[in-house]
Amino acid sequence: MDPIVLVIVIVVGIPLAVIWALAKSAQLRGPAARREPRRPVGSLVTEAIPEEHPYENEPEESGPYYRIDSPPPEPDPVLRDR
């Protein structure tokens, strides 16, 4: 057998054979057993608690509120003297 073919079989074939053997072993063993909790089901269920947002409907305090039909604001007198 050619040495290059032997190296290819060793480098590619053996890892594939190991992976196949591990998969077959896991398949024969069956599904993994899960631990079941010992506490009652009532303690596992939680109810949703609504959050309160007291400032939800109030406008932001980022500045005065302008509508599209409101008159233009007066310029700041301090900025006008520059």
Side-chain angles (χ1 to χ4, degrees), residues 7-40:
V7 168
I8 290 174
V9 167
I10 290 173
V11 170
V12 174
I14 291 180
L16 287 177
V18 168
I19 292 172
W20 178 82
L22 289 173
K24 190 66 173 176
S25 170
Q27 183 182 16
L28 291 175
R29 216 176 85 188
R34 290 190 231 163
R35 290 183 48 206
E36 294 188 18
R38 300 288 179 215
R39 54 186 163 167

Side-chain angles (χ1 to χ4, degrees), residues 15-78:
L16 287 177
V18 168
I19 292 172
W20 178 82
L22 289 173
K24 190 66 173 176
S25 170
Q27 183 182 16
L28 291 175
R29 216 176 85 188
R34 290 190 231 163
R35 290 183 48 206
E36 294 188 18
R38 300 288 179 215
R39 54 186 163 167
V41 175
S43 67
L44 297 176
V45 178
T46 58
E47 294 182 15
I49 300 173
E51 295 181 17
E52 295 182 18
H53 300 285
Y55 304 108
E56 189 173 76
N57 295 330
E58 296 181 11
E60 295 181 16
E61 296 180 12
S62 61
Y65 177 73
Y66 295 105
R67 294 190 329 233
I68 193 138
D69 59 342
S70 63
E74 293 292 324
D76 192 3
V78 176

